């Protein structure tokens, strides 16, 4: 369903991806693992259409998405992808509920409906209590729960998550991973997550190990 072929991406002299390839099936939950600096975030960003690779291909349902123009890519991301950024990526001056409602508004849902759906997702992730707080005032753990609520609220086909539990303690991390996995299974959504935490990777159907910007063979496929 989602495929990367020989992705190469450099930042100045740093080669973040050196020929990364992978294939993710519809409904699969995969964890991209590897040491810090091995290219995990860059690979996730290429798959999610946030970073364009220098060479190689990213395909969704067999169609290239790395060559789409900006408006088409933006539309695809809004309609089909949910992204949890490493540090949340919430709009700081908006409340938690407004942050979750925002992508729904972009997808042309009404304000009332968007706020109702947002409240529901905040409840599922057990952060209803901070719905009306500005996201700049939230704790790291609250930010991650709100960011996950925002990514799931639009019902995306693919959820991309970069260290979704990094700011949570182990109980909080378990709750967030359970919510992510249960939601994905219920909707047959595909999940690609990046983690260096084995306990998080254990929730995935399959682990894809990166070293020096490429997938370790024999572990991924
Ligand atoms: P991790 O190793 O957990 O992925 P990093 O600290 O490497 O975290 O990266 C955090 C963010 O900073 C990412 O969005 C990454 O793209 C960016 N980043 C990493 N290294 C650099 C760098 N040398 N210069 C600018 N941005 C960077
Ligand atoms: P990981 O997520 O595995 O830590 P990253 O994809 O964040 O790996 O980074 C891979 C390499 O690319 C690292 O050496 C990092 O410093 C570098 N890098 C990542 N993002 C940037 C950026 N925006 N600017 C400069 N260097 C970057």
């Amino acid at each position: 369903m989602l495929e990367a072929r020989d992705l190469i991406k450099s930042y100045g002299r740093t080669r973040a991806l050196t020929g990364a390839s992978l294939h993710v099936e519809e409904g699969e939950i995969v964890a991209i693992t590897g040491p810090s600096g091995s290219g995990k975030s860059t690979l996730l960003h290429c798959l999610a259409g946030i970073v364009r690779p220098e060479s190689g291909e990213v395909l969704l349902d067999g169609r290239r998405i790395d060559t789409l123009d900006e408006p088409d890519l933006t539309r695809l991301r809004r309609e089909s992808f949910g992204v949890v950024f490493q540090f949340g990526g919430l709009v700081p001056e908006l409340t938690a509920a407004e942050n979750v409602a925002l992508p729904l508004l972009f997808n042309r849902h009404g304000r009332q409906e968007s706020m109702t759906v947002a409240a529901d997702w905040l409840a599922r992730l057990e952060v209803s209590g901070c719905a009306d707080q500005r996201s700049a005032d939230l704790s790291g753990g609250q930010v991650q729960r709100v960011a996950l609520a925002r990514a799931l609220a639009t019902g995306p086909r693919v959820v991309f998550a970069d260290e979704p539990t990094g700011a949570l303690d182990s109980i909080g991390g378990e709750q967030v991973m359970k919510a992510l996995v249960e939601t994905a299974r219920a909707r047959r959504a595909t999940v690609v997550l990046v983690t260096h935490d084995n306990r998080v990777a254990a929730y995935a159907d399959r682990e894809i190990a990166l070293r020096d910007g490429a997938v370790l063979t024999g572990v991924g496929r």
Side-chain angles (χ1 to χ4, degrees), residues 11 14-16 34-43 194:
Y11 295 103
T14 306
R15 283 200 130 194
S36 183
S38 56
K40 302 184 296 296
S41 295
T42 305
L43 176 56
V194 158

Side-chain angles (χ1 to χ4, degrees), residues 27-33 145 148 161 163-166 168-185 189-208:
E28 204 179 13
I29 299 176
V30 300
I32 298 172
T33 63
R145 289 167 189 265
L148 182 57
E163 301 281 5
T165 64
L168 294 159
D169 60 21
S170 56
I171 294 168
E174 230 171 80
Q175 283 174 352
V176 163
M177 283 309 299
K178 279 195 179 136
L180 174 56
V181 167
E182 275 169 21
T183 305
R185 298 273 189 239
T190 304
V191 178
V192 182
L193 59 94
V194 158
T195 186
H196 62 260
D197 186 338
N198 290 333
R199 291 169 305 177
V200 172
Y203 283 91
D205 300 321
R206 182 160 62 95
E207 191 171 327
I208 296 173

Side-chain angles (χ1 to χ4, degrees), residues 67-119:
T67 49
L68 291 177
D69 63 20
E70 215 51 58
D72 285 346
L73 199 52
T74 301
R75 189 174 322 121
L76 173 73
R77 292 210 315 255
R78 276 185 189 158
E79 289 174 357
S80 304
F81 293 171
V83 183
V84 185
F85 292 98
Q86 194 172 3
F87 302 105
L90 300 179
V91 183
E93 47 291 342
L94 296 183
T95 66
E98 287 166 345
N99 267 283
V100 179
L102 202 55
L104 293 157
L105 291 166
F106 281 141
N107 283 349
R108 298 193 184 83
H109 293 275
R111 188 180 157 77
Q112 194 60 50
E113 184 200 351
S114 298
M115 290 307 280
T116 305
V117 172

Side-chain angles (χ1 to χ4, degrees), residues 14-26:
T14 306
R15 283 200 130 194
L17 295 179
T18 56
S21 301
L22 60 81
H23 199 144
V24 182
E25 304 296 336
E26 179 113 48

